[in-house]
Amino acid sequence: MAEDIPQNLEDEIKQLISDITGRSVEELKPEANFWKDLGIDSIKAIEITVAIERKFKVRIRDEQIPQISTVAQAVKVVKEALGKKMKDEK
Amino acid sequence: MRSKRRVAITGIGPIASPGIGKENFWRGILLKKTNLQLEKCFINGELWGEFYLHKVENFDISKFGINKDRLNDIREWKEGEEIIDLNYLIAAIKLALDDSKVEYDKEKNEIALVLAHENLGLMPFGLKVSELSYEMLIGKRRKELPKKEFFDKLYRKFLKSGYDVQTFADLFHIARVFGVHNYSLFINNACASGLYALEAAAQIIKNNQAKIVVVAVSDHPDIYKYLWFRDLGIYSSDGVIRPFSSDSNGLAFGEGGVGIVLEDLENAKRRNASIYAEYLGGGFDLEGWKITVPQIGSNSYQRAILKALKQAKVDKKEIELLCPHGVGSSSIDYYESKAITDIFGRNSKKPLITTFKPYVGHNLGGSALLETAILLLSLKNNIIPPTLNCDNIDKRFGITLVTEKIEKKLEIVMKICCAFAGFNAAAIFKKIS
């Protein structure tokens, strides 16, 4: 059964990104750009994607990975993936 | 029971930016001849796109002494169109067979054939579909052109071309050119195709299907391929491939191909063949995560390298020279450096590491085998060409690259490749004294 969309999804994603990048949760503002504002490079972006997939049990498409460049975009992608998963399982 | 047959490499036939044919090619490598040029693509006189490319100079398929009737048959099959990477495959096979000095009946022989290419024929097909679609649509407003009529015309026009992108047709025609009637195979494992092809060829010999196998790869990049890589964000804006560097900005294509002859070692010795090396074995692992992005943190590439060492019965300490994929894209370089340092250690003095893409560009499906050819020539000549364009090696990667030419007696070398779709591969070669 697909996971319901967590109520505190943004917080969970921020914590996940913080664990991987070493940036504090407070620094991870929703619209802060990973590369320009936070110095998070493509290598870390892939690690974040791997961790998101594992934690939320979703599959992110290749072309979505470069789009995950802010916390807000990460939340959006996960919501879409979870929504799709719930729909597929009905 | 494991076969006792051993596999030697007895012929190399390269076609790439440093030169055509083994001698010219190796000379070009030593002279650092990259022939990097800006390729422009026009439609109706309007510039569509431009990209940097390591170009092959002065290639003429008619100059290789290939059966003219067979070449004409291919031209007829392709309705007069010259498919450049198909010609590269044919020429590379001829060069490799000539280099091996194998005597063979040109009408019917027992040589086996393994071809590898990512998408032979697909790009010309795509361009023709685009052309016809445009011609058909500009003349009529869309609502006046019934969909069924459009689809029907497209089908009739491309019936032939549509079957043409099935690779067995290429295998058929190329086998005919060389009188090959034995086992034949077409392989596509993205950039690692060449190493998979070598392993397949070795297995053909070990299973006594053939004593001699020709393996050939090629690629001829064009605008669609460039646009795809550009949109992935990994095509170099200045065309300079900077492997494992902090200022890397992506890859640049290199056109061309290579043929390599593998042969049963005893057969090679019996006919006093000149032997480049013994193919000791390969290791392969399919990561299975994404097509265009490597899974940072996985151990798939490490597994492939370890499998190769196990197959070859070689300890990692015996590897003297390692040639990685070295794409010049930071995430892929990091992924590769992690695998290398996990096995061989950070900034380890052994094996020496050098990469060849800055010389020949990225030959996509042909890259692993083309760079293997350079590795084999390095082994044969006891010369290690330096990695070019690496003034700013990224210290995070823990890789030390050869940056000046080294003359050193070599015995065991390794080629590794981390390809799209997670096809990870490694192959080990040993000089035979």
Side-chain angles (χ1 to χ4, degrees), chain B residues 29-44:
Chain B
I29 295 284
L30 294 178
L31 292 172
K32 301 179 185 173
K33 181 184 168 195
T34 64
N35 209 28
L36 183 67
Q37 296 183 25
L38 189 60
E39 182 89 339
K40 291 177 189 266
C41 183
F42 292 91
I43 294 183
N44 281 354

Side-chain angles (χ1 to χ4, degrees), chain B residues 246-263:
Chain B
S246 53
D247 56 347
S248 65
N249 69 356
L251 59 90
F253 294 142
E255 59 172 352
V258 67
I260 287 188
V261 174
L262 283 83
E263 189 169 349

Side-chain angles (χ1 to χ4, degrees), chain B residues 1-15:
Chain B
M1 195 195 313
R2 199 167 169 152
S3 168
K4 291 192 167 60
R5 288 197 172 80
R6 292 165 65 184
V7 179
I9 293 169
T10 56
I12 293 177
I15 298 169

Side-chain angles (χ1 to χ4, degrees), chain A residues 41-42 46 53 59-60 62, chain B residues 289-292 294 330 396:
Chain A
D41 63 14
S42 58
I46 297 172
E53 284 191 340
R59 184 166 172 80
I60 293 172
D62 288 40
Chain B
W289 187 57
K290 305 287 178 209
I291 298 273
T292 60
S330 58
R396 292 180 299 169

Side-chain angles (χ1 to χ4, degrees), chain B residues 301-302 305 334-345 416:
Chain B
Y301 203 6
Q302 289 82 331
I305 296 170
Y334 172 78
Y335 176 81
E336 186 163 43
S337 67
K338 182 77 173 46
I340 294 171
T341 55
D342 276 357
I343 292 171
F344 298 105
I416 62 175

Side-chain angles (χ1 to χ4, degrees), chain B residues 142-206:
Chain B
R142 219 173 265 164
K143 59 184 178 185
E144 290 177 5
L145 179 66
K147 191 170 181 177
K148 181 178 175 302
E149 183 186 328
F150 177 78
F151 271 61
D152 194 48
K153 280 190 177 173
L154 209 62
Y155 164 73
R156 289 184 194 288
K157 183 74 180 176
F158 288 105
L159 171 66
K160 196 163 178 303
S161 295
Y163 281 115
D164 287 350
V165 297
Q166 293 179 105
T167 47
F168 70 78
D170 296 289
L171 190 59
F172 163 77
H173 279 282
I174 294 175
R176 279 189 82 233
V177 171
F178 296 99
V180 167
H181 290 265
N182 200 344
Y183 192 103
S184 56
L185 189 62
F186 203 109
I187 279 180
N188 183 357
N189 294 83
C191 306
S193 293
L195 297 191
Y196 279 82
L198 278 180
E199 176 67 20
Q203 292 302 330
I204 291 169
I205 291 170
K206 289 184 179 182

